[in-house]
Amino acid sequence: MILVITHSTTAQKRGAGDMKAEDLYLSQHHLNLMKGVRLAREQGQTVQVWIVSPMYGLISGEQFIAPYRLGFAGMDRQLKKHKICVLGIEKTYRKILSQRFSLGLVVCNETHLTTLATHTIHQDEVGGPLTYICSGERGKKVEGHARFIVLTNEDSKKRGHALKNMKGVVASDLIKEHLA
């Protein structure tokens, strides 16, 4: 099984009625990521997509949700910690990571990196090889149970994608490599 945990991209969403969470978001980051997910599914792979949402918590991409306008970005630190606690994000995150998987990807921005990667998780709690794909200085400071790919503006220029979209591109590429 391939496991993908990503962050919501609240600015760009489809706006009509309830739909699967993994189909709600329209950012290039998310669309690029989903190309790899769909390819893996077309080849018969089981892929679980999980999304960190400030409205619903850490939810399955298969869960039907209504569009919303709420984001972690710009949220006060104490409120963010409260939301993470109330929504049970850390507990769900640990449970998801304990499943057996052949490839685990956590595609995150700085806010979600702080939310997810900085919690103490030991290698024996993780069900397979895990890679965080992030950008920013915080990614260079987190150590522990996983591999980190910290993307920079230099990477963005080399690949011809905006930095904010690169995480989805790299995740899709890693899925394709895994399938080969």
Side-chain angles (χ1 to χ4, degrees):
M1 183 216 6
I2 298 172
L3 174 66
V4 177
I5 301 172
T6 189
H7 59 87
S8 60
T9 48
T10 56
Q12 299 165 310
K13 294 189 199 75
R14 299 181 201 282
D18 290 0
M19 63 183 57
K20 286 184 181 182
E22 67 184 44
D23 295 332
L24 181 65
Y25 306 100
L26 294 172
S27 71
Q28 285 302 306
H29 146 80
H30 189 76
L31 296 175
N32 288 325
L33 167 66
M34 292 307 294
K35 285 179 188 175
V37 168
R38 286 189 178 88
L39 177 66
R41 287 176 176 160
E42 287 168 7
Q43 293 186 18
Q45 292 286 318
T46 299
V47 183
Q48 283 188 9
V49 175
W50 293 85
I51 300 168
V52 179
S53 162
M55 182 70 150
Y56 298 103
L58 185 49
I59 57 172
S60 166
E62 296 289 315
Q63 183 175 331
F64 281 79
I65 61 172
Y68 60 93
R69 290 182 149 311
L70 179 65
F72 282 118
M75 195 181 282
D76 170 82
R77 187 175 181 203
Q78 289 300 329
L79 177 58
K80 199 179 304 182
K81 283 179 88 171
H82 176 73
K83 290 284 276 178
I84 290 164
C85 181
V86 168
L87 294 171
I89 291 173
E90 182 181 356
K91 182 179 178 184
T92 305
Y93 181 63
R94 287 178 177 277
K95 184 177 178 182
I96 293 166
L97 286 184
S98 70
Q99 301 176 84
R100 295 204 99 7
F101 52 87
S102 59
L103 174 66
L105 301 174
V106 179
V107 184
C108 52
N109 63 21
E110 293 248 352
T111 299
H112 299 97
L113 180 63
T114 303
T115 304
L116 300 174
T118 57
H119 295 296
T120 304
I121 297 176
H122 300 285
Q123 184 61 43
D124 60 350
E125 296 178 89
V126 179
L130 185 63
T131 300
Y132 287 88
I133 304 166
C134 55
S135 57
E137 291 300 310
R138 287 191 190 140
K140 297 175 184 171
K141 297 175 184 170
V142 180
E143 298 178 14
H145 60 279
R147 168 181 152 199
F148 280 81
I149 297 174
V150 181
L151 301 170
T152 64
N153 285 324
E154 180 85 12
D155 298 316
S156 174
K157 289 175 189 170
K158 285 179 189 173
R159 301 282 299 266
H161 291 277
L163 184 58
K164 67 182 181 178
N165 301 334
M166 280 294 296
K167 294 175 295 231
V169 170
V170 170
S172 186
D173 289 349
L174 290 173
I175 292 169
K176 290 173 189 171
E177 284 176 22
H178 183 72
L179 297 173

